[in-house]
Amino acid sequence: MHADCPERPRILLVDDDVRLLRVLTLRLESEGYSVAIAENGEQARLRLEETEPDFVIADLRMPDVDGIMLLQNVQAIRPGLPVAILTAHGDIPDAVRATQAGAVDFLTKPARSDLLLECIRRHLCIHGDRPDGRPATRWAPEILTQSPAVRAVLENARRVARLDPAVLISGPSGSGKELLARAIHGGSPRRERPFVAINCAAVPPDLLESELFGHKRGAFTGAHADQPGLFRAADGGSVLLDEIGDMPPLLQVKLLRVLQEREVRPVGEVRSIPVDVRVISATHRDLEHLVRQGRFREDLYYRLNVVELRLPPLSERREDIPLLVAARLRELGDRGGAKKVYSPEAMELLLAARWPGNVRQLFNVVERTVALSPGRVIAVELVRKALGEPDTAISPLDQARDVFIKDYLIQTLRIAEGNVSRAARLAGRNRTDFYKLMRRYGVPSGHRTADE
């Protein structure tokens, strides 16, 4: 049993395959789980009330009540209870349906033991509190993932959080570096003390030193009162230096001294003040490359990079997109908006997009399409516009043909200077047929056509 999971969690298995139920029960009980089984939706409802499970695994295709209907019933009876869908017929439309309905995961049969157990552990330990109200020990609950690459980063972060080394978080903009930094602070012995974040690229260079280390009254124009600075404000806790690669060279020297001496000297002050902070830094830039260019101090780099954690871009963790989208949709719905879902085609486009802005861009697209969608189902064209992709929609053949014929009649009349008889001859039709076409497609007669 994973050390961070609740003791002997209760699993409810729902499948009309009795043999499979026996096999899965043996697997899970050998791992220390308490297992209840149900062979159909009605039995599942009773077991739900009798056993109060912590996690549900349900087959997608069952007679009478399928996995999606069961999932909806579970949500009505026990909101927040995580449900994973299991099926022998897994494909993208099924996965999209399950995710839209609120499933936390989607597994295909025959389920590999390691994947099944990892699914359960992940959602018991990360997904949220236990349904019975007792809090589960959670690690990084804000970071939703089923990506092996991100889970490996989280596992390493969990280990270093308990200790106190400096951590460098690298990864592209919008990939969740600050969320990971907050998780490290939250999993550390410093969790009861402040977490203070500053974006080094967002503060003018001449003010950054004062922001970090404070200043005395009168130290410079506009310094009307003493300011402690962010390092002293975070004393006992953690400081996140975001976009550390943009820190000016002169300030890099002063930061190095702070890290070495564990004390700060406010601007205009003659004495140093001890501070006890854990420094977590983050960057989307290649610091090693900056060191080779002489733009970032090598000694500071090694001070900051005791442990490096690299978050992958969203394009390398596409399996997380349905999970992240579902979570954002629930959040927007909980704010009082209409609960909406993406069409299968729209979800496929989300899965295939390049995402240069990563998770931040994904959430922006979700919020925009939710706000602009007139109905409950968000269409693929709305997603395409939100992504800034060219409109490649193809009109139905009949509609395209009607547009072409109307344009053809108007153009022919223009060439014939409005003379219907001459236009009919140009079109190879008799005058009566040409008039019928004009009436059918709404083209007026005379020297001036509708768009003149």
Side-chain angles (χ1 to χ4, degrees):
M1 186 69 60
H2 195 290
D4 284 346
C5 291
E7 288 187 27
R8 199 164 172 74
R10 298 179 291 274
I11 311 296
L12 174 60
L13 299 175
V14 188
D15 201 306
D16 57 342
D17 186 338
V18 178
R19 186 185 62 83
L20 179 63
L21 287 177
R22 285 199 299 269
V23 171
L24 291 180
T25 298
L26 289 173
R27 285 182 189 173
L28 295 177
E29 287 182 341
S30 69
E31 292 290 326
Y33 293 103
S34 173
V35 180
I37 63 172
E39 297 176 21
N40 54 55
E42 182 58 28
Q43 283 188 16
R45 188 184 65 79
L46 296 174
R47 297 288 185 273
L48 204 60
E49 297 173 355
E50 294 169 355
T51 64
E52 295 190 347
D54 299 308
F55 194 81
V56 177
I57 300 173
D59 187 22
L60 177 64
R61 308 200 180 199
M62 297 182 292
D64 300 328
V65 178
D66 66 8
I68 302 298
M69 294 174 62
L70 176 61
L71 171 59
Q72 293 168 342
N73 291 338
V74 169
Q75 290 174 332
I77 299 171
R78 296 276 298 282
L81 177 61
V83 178
I85 296 297
L86 187 66
T87 180
H89 310 280
D91 53 26
I92 286 180
D94 282 343
V96 170
R97 270 208 315 143
T99 303
Q100 289 177 342
V104 298
D105 220 328
F106 185 83
L107 303 170
T108 56
K109 296 179 182 178
R112 283 172 41 191
S113 293
D114 57 338
L115 295 180
L116 178 66
L117 293 172
E118 174 59 26
C119 167
I120 296 171
R121 288 170 183 154
R122 181 169 69 252
H123 293 295
L124 282 179
C125 299
I126 296 178
H127 186 72
D129 291 341
R130 291 166 57 110
D132 58 10
R134 288 182 287 145
T137 301
R138 294 183 292 171
W139 166 248
E142 299 297 324
I143 301 177
L144 302 176
T145 185
Q146 53 189 4
S147 161
V150 178
R151 291 206 303 268
V153 173
L154 289 178
E155 182 59 26
N156 288 332
R158 186 177 65 85
R159 292 192 186 102
V160 302
R162 298 167 180 170
L163 306 174
D164 213 36
V167 177
L168 173 64
I169 304 173
S170 61
S173 296
S175 57
K177 296 188 292 294
E178 184 170 341
L179 278 182
L180 183 58
R182 290 182 180 277
I184 291 171
H185 174 74
S188 76
R190 298 176 179 269
R191 68 176 65 90
E192 302 300 327
R193 303 296 298 163
F195 173 89
V196 178
I198 183 170
N199 188 318
C200 298
V203 181
D206 55 336
L207 296 179
L208 187 56
E209 181 180 0
S210 171
E211 285 290 312
L212 291 174
F213 310 136
H215 64 255
K216 275 185 65 67
R217 178 183 176 184
F220 50 84
T221 303
H224 301 302
D226 290 352
Q227 292 293 338
L230 298 182
F231 269 72
R232 289 168 64 192
D235 195 32
S238 304
V239 168
L240 169 63
L241 302 176
D242 199 4
E243 300 304 345
I244 187 68
D246 293 298
M247 179 172 282
L250 181 60
L251 198 53
Q252 292 178 29
V253 178
K254 297 184 178 182
L255 175 61
L256 178 63
R257 180 175 179 82
V258 169
L259 298 178
Q260 290 173 335
E261 305 296 332
R262 302 184 72 84
E263 57 185 24
V264 298
R265 181 179 296 177
V267 178
E269 180 62 83
V270 296
R271 63 187 180 89
S272 297
I273 302 169
V275 290
D276 173 27
V277 297
R278 180 189 199 156
V279 174
I280 305 171
S281 51
T283 182
H284 73 284
R285 307 181 72 176
D286 184 344
L287 289 191
E288 286 190 359
H289 181 65
L290 295 181
V291 168
R292 290 193 296 271
Q293 290 182 323
R295 297 166 59 193
F296 198 86
R297 292 184 63 94
E298 185 176 21
D299 45 6
L300 177 59
Y301 171 71
Y302 288 117
R303 277 280 178 178
L304 296 172
N305 187 19
V306 177
V307 175
E308 182 174 5
L309 301 171
R310 178 188 176 274
L311 281 171
L314 188 58
S315 60
E316 294 179 10
R317 48 182 289 208
R318 294 185 184 275
E319 61 268 48
D320 284 342
I321 291 175
L323 189 67
L324 293 166
V325 168
R328 198 61 166 178
L329 288 174
R330 283 195 299 270
E331 181 180 336
L332 294 173
D334 290 343
R335 292 179 187 173
K339 294 187 182 295
K340 298 186 179 183
V341 297
Y342 286 92
S343 70
E345 296 80 11
M347 180 60 76
E348 288 179 15
L349 182 57
L350 291 174
L351 287 166
R354 293 187 304 109
W355 299 117
N358 297 290
V359 179
R360 185 183 295 125
Q361 182 191 7
L362 173 65
F363 285 170
N364 175 273
V365 167
V366 172
E367 290 188 35
R368 188 183 310 179
T369 52
V370 165
L372 296 178
S373 178
R376 180 175 180 271
V377 178
I378 301 171
V380 65
E381 288 309 315
L382 200 55
V383 173
R384 182 171 285 113
K385 289 178 182 177
L387 289 169
E389 295 187 0
D391 189 351
T392 57
I394 301 298
S395 299
L397 180 60
D398 289 345
Q399 181 181 338
R401 182 191 61 200
D402 291 349
V403 170
F404 171 79
I405 293 176
K406 182 174 181 179
D407 289 344
Y408 176 86
L409 295 174
I410 292 172
Q411 184 65 23
T412 305
L413 282 166
R414 280 179 177 162
I415 294 172
E417 298 179 342
N419 187 304
V420 176
S421 297
R422 190 189 309 167
R425 287 196 299 272
L426 290 173
R429 294 291 185 108
N430 62 51
R431 189 170 182 272
T432 302
D433 285 345
F434 199 87
Y435 263 119
K436 288 180 180 178
L437 288 171
M438 290 172 62
R439 286 195 296 271
R440 177 178 175 182
Y441 292 100
V443 177
S445 59
H447 290 284
R448 291 194 177 274
T449 54
D451 57 347
E452 287 188 290

